[in-house]
Amino acid sequence: MRSQALELAAGQAWDLVVIGGGITGASVLREAARSGLRSLLLEQRDFAWGASSRSGKWVHGGLRYLQQGQMNVTWHSVRQREKLCHELTGLIDMQPMLWPLYKGQLADEVLIRAGLFVYDLIAGKRWRRSMPLAAVQQAFPDLHAPHLKGGICFYEGQTDDARMTLRVLQEARKAGGVALNYAPVVGLHREGNLVRGVQVATSSAQEPLRIQAKQVIAATGAWSDGIRAHVAHDKNSRLRPLRGSHLVFDRVRLPIDATIVLKHPRDRRPGFIAPFQGRVIVGNTDLDHDQDMRKEASITPWEVDYLLETVQHYFPALQIGRQDIIATFSGVRPVVDSGASDPSAESRDHVVWHEDELITIGGGKLTTFQHIALDALQRAKAKFPQMKLDGPPGPILTQPNPSLGVPDSLSAAQWQRLQGRYGDAASAMVLAAEPGTLTLIPGTETLWAELVWCAAHEDVQHLDDLLLRRTRIGILLAEGGRSYMPRIRELTQPALGWADDQWHAEEARYLEICRQHYSVPPVPGSDA
Ligand SMILES: Cc1cc2nc3c(=O)[nH]c(=O)nc-3n(C[C@H](O)[C@H](O)[C@H](O)COP(=O)(O)OP(=O)(O)OC[C@H]3O[C@@H](n4cnc5c(N)ncnc54)[C@H](O)[C@@H]3O)c2cc1C
């Protein structure tokens, strides 16, 4: 099937080929298609397989970046946050966050107050407010912080990163863009010195297929040095892949109803504990990534201990331990290398390189995806004068029809969530839902009907596509939701069209991915 689609693509004349199906590539496709370019996106694994399903899930300004003087990043991030939260209701929600204040730490307090003042100035809206000690204690009754004197409440957007990527892709397709997953680009097609297309590996042919395009843009995240190597005159890597990892807890064990920012007890690096889709996430680390880039990133035992230390230090009465972690997830940030000794000191700004007519995007954030995409397309403007890139950026999503009432079987919040995640398709999903499937998968905010819909309509090639990125079952349930597998199979196997043998192979593959990359790794030297 995929080979046929690629052969079909190879027979066409494209204006633009985008390599990489994370949020950046999806956004480039969306903006290019909006401008009428015949555009094709190729993703080597699954859409959002890279950092775009493994982020901290914040659509945020980034207070840390402001404190580091990365004013440009904060400016664009806050502006984008305001735009996205307005446009992507049901997909991004503004969440209250507490920054605790402690006695005797005046310098910290001045810095954070100044940062939040600038935030609000850029947003053109006052989000921040002070919280007295009693209010902080009421909101976080288990918080143990002897020198606490109160806090500041501010707001950031929280999203489902993988679904945001899929939603942007959905819009890109609606505007005429084509996106294919499991289509690895293994080389560039050149005419003379200039890049004029890509070579894609297929399962049906030994030789890669050539797909020609007037312009190629690599939105390949932390893998960008690999693509650039085909054209780069300097062979030095420009990226510094930095791994970040998270722990996921059951809310019963870690009862947190609002996000709290906490400095690590040893190195004072800020992290967060946040509610997410019925669970609680603790994040994150920021370390040089020396694992094999062809494999999914995995948390290390050291990172587990580091993140646990924060929880144990601030919530000692809860007696949280490794046994309470239900899942983990790790991703690799595509950060541009400046040689800073501290990984967290590296800028999170994006860079666009233009070499032999290949445009490559480095760095950036989830939050600023539209800004990054427009910047990259700007470099191709001379080739496509019809592109309208000046003036305020257009809306990213078409809004669902407001006259559609809330279906009887759903709450208003559930309906908004579905519309945010699936756009127009939400109505069709509800209409097609089998009796009993508009109910929640226990421990999550996901409906059983979502699994069926995604299995039938969202390019699922493997079970992990469905359970880790179309829905987030794999990071929300212990052992990737193994105990629900019979029900998942009953509902989705017909829509996937897989014979029993294929189902068994897919289930085994998925559970192994969960074990290796989304679980708690054994402590070195233990028998586990
Ligand atoms: C732990 C962590 C926490 C983060 N938290 C936040 C946050 O809270 N807020 C925020 O704004 N940002 C955050 N970020 C940053 C954000 O996630 C990334 O900047 C963003 O997702 C990058 O998107 P991308 O599309 O550029 O890269 P990716 O999502 O990595 O996508 C690149 C894609 O290119 C594909 N690809 C690579 N090579 C090829 C090839 N040869 N052929 C075809 N496809 C190829 C890959 O498979 C991959 O899917 C975080 C990142 C991490 C890792």
Side-chain angles (χ1 to χ4, degrees):
M1 284 282 283
R2 179 51 74 241
S3 299
Q4 275 173 13
L6 281 170
E7 276 161 26
L8 212 65
Q12 298 179 49
W14 299 97
D15 290 323
L16 175 69
V17 165
V18 184
I19 315 173
I23 189 67
T24 310
S27 185
V28 173
L29 187 75
R30 200 269 172 271
E31 297 302 329
R34 185 208 301 276
S35 288
L37 302 196
R38 288 181 49 76
S39 309
L40 170 71
L41 178 147
L42 301 168
E43 162 57 46
Q44 62 178 353
R45 308 279 184 110
D46 186 28
F47 303 125
W49 178 82
S52 300
S53 59
R54 303 152 193 271
S55 77
K57 326 280 179 232
W58 296 113
V59 173
H60 65 156
L63 270 176
R64 191 153 49 88
Y65 314 135
L66 188 62
Q67 289 171 357
Q68 290 168 346
Q70 299 180 38
M71 195 59 204
N72 192 39
V73 181
T74 309
W75 168 265
H76 287 294
S77 300
V78 174
R79 303 289 291 207
Q80 287 274 283
R81 182 194 72 187
E82 294 301 301
K83 175 176 159 68
L84 294 176
C85 289
H86 176 69
E87 261 192 46
L88 278 65
T89 325
L91 187 54
I92 303 178
D93 300 310
M94 283 304 259
Q95 294 278 345
M97 279 190 161
L98 175 77
W99 188 290
L101 297 174
Y102 303 95
K103 289 176 203 149
Q105 296 190 9
L106 195 62
D108 257 17
E109 182 176 338
V110 170
L111 218 58
I112 187 70
R113 283 194 188 281
L116 289 172
F117 172 77
V118 175
Y119 245 50
D120 284 356
L121 213 61
I122 300 172
K125 181 171 179 178
R126 187 178 173 125
W127 284 103
R128 70 193 192 283
R129 66 187 156 84
S130 293
M131 274 177 86
L133 179 60
V136 174
Q137 285 168 335
Q138 195 182 5
F140 297 92
D142 298 308
L143 177 65
H144 173 73
H147 302 293
L148 190 70
K149 66 173 199 183
I152 308 181
C153 175
F154 62 109
Y155 285 76
E156 300 278 24
Q158 191 188 50
T159 191
D160 178 331
D161 45 9
R163 282 253 43 115
M164 188 159 84
T165 305
L166 289 156
R167 186 79 170 80
V168 175
L169 278 175
Q170 184 189 19
E171 291 293 331
R173 284 170 160 159
K174 241 160 96 178
V178 176
L180 300 175
N181 53 0
Y182 295 96
V185 170
V186 292
L188 298 174
H189 165 63
R190 304 174 76 119
E191 286 173 12
N193 271 341
L194 303 180
V195 174
R196 287 283 180 264
V198 295
Q199 294 171 337
V200 194
T202 70
S203 52
S204 63
Q206 281 197 330
E207 289 297 308
L209 272 179
R210 179 197 296 172
I211 299 183
Q212 288 178 295
K214 291 181 190 153
Q215 180 65 57
V216 177
I217 296 185
T220 37
W223 294 265
S224 292
D225 278 332
I227 292 288
R228 264 195 68 249
H230 293 283
V231 294
H233 301 294
D234 72 289
K235 296 292 175 202
N236 298 331
S237 53
R238 291 194 181 167
L239 290 184
R240 180 173 183 179
L242 294 178
R243 184 179 63 253
S245 298
H246 306 81
L247 307 178
V248 184
F249 291 90
D250 191 327
R251 220 158 163 168
V252 175
R253 282 298 289 126
L254 186 51
I256 296 286
D257 294 324
T259 302
I260 183 165
V261 182
L262 293 166
K263 291 197 174 176
H264 193 274
R266 270 186 295 121
D267 63 13
R268 314 296 299 156
R269 191 177 166 272
F272 64 85
I273 305 183
F276 176 72
Q277 297 199 16
R279 299 301 194 187
V280 173
I281 294 183
V282 177
N284 49 34
T285 51
D286 201 10
L287 301 163
D288 282 306
H289 181 65
D290 50 12
Q291 297 168 11
D292 182 346
M293 287 292 288
R294 287 166 302 182
K295 293 191 179 159
E296 302 208 21
S298 309
I299 196 169
T300 61
W302 184 89
E303 289 176 283
V304 173
D305 290 342
Y306 175 89
L307 293 170
L308 263 181
E309 244 179 294
T310 299
V311 185
Q312 290 164 340
H313 180 84
Y314 290 99
F315 296 93
L318 298 177
Q319 302 198 335
I320 299 282
R322 289 181 139 243
Q323 69 286 354
D324 296 307
I325 303 168
I326 57 175
T328 68
F329 62 96
S330 301
V332 186
R333 300 176 177 91
V335 172
V336 179
D337 193 359
S338 75
S341 57
D342 175 7
S344 297
E346 294 284 15
S347 168
R348 306 296 143 130
D349 211 349
H350 75 279
V351 176
V352 179
W353 296 295
H354 203 170
E355 297 154 295
D356 293 352
E357 298 212 358
L358 171 73
I359 293 175
T360 309
I361 301 168
K365 294 175 62 189
L366 189 77
T367 308
T368 45
F369 66 83
Q370 190 182 33
H371 170 64
I372 299 173
L374 291 172
D375 194 15
L377 283 169
Q378 196 66 254
R379 311 299 168 100
K381 180 104 175 80
K383 279 188 193 162
F384 308 113
Q386 75 272 32
M387 274 199 301
K388 299 221 176 342
L389 299 175
D390 303 326
I396 295 158
L397 306 182
T398 42
Q399 295 302 319
N401 183 346
S403 67
L404 293 173
V406 181
D408 290 344
S409 37
L410 299 176
S411 68
Q414 283 177 322
W415 180 230
Q416 190 175 61
R417 178 184 171 282
L418 279 192
Q419 287 193 309
R421 282 166 168 71
Y422 300 92
D424 291 342
S427 304
M429 179 195 300
V430 172
L431 276 176
E434 295 287 334
T437 59
L438 289 174
T439 52
L440 295 180
I441 301 173
T444 76
E445 293 168 0
T446 309
L447 303 171
W448 290 103
E450 290 179 61
L451 282 175
V452 186
W453 179 265
C454 295
H457 300 282
E458 290 202 339
D459 294 310
V460 171
Q461 310 280 324
H462 291 288
L463 194 55
D464 44 297
D465 304 344
L466 179 65
L467 300 181
L468 282 164
R469 290 170 290 276
R470 303 301 176 282
T471 64
R472 314 313 298 271
I473 304 304
I475 59 168
L476 297 172
L477 298 179
E479 293 184 85
R482 181 195 281 267
S483 60
Y484 293 108
M485 212 45 89
R487 173 90 169 124
I488 294 172
R489 179 178 179 184
E490 180 194 336
L491 287 173
T492 62
Q493 191 178 346
L496 291 164
W498 293 345
D500 288 349
D501 280 0
Q502 190 177 356
W503 178 274
H504 290 308
E506 284 293 340
E507 184 177 318
R509 170 194 147 109
Y510 165 69
L511 292 175
E512 185 56 19
I513 289 174
C514 288
R515 191 186 66 75
Q516 281 194 30
H517 306 290
Y518 294 88
S519 304
V520 182
V523 179
S526 76
D527 293 338

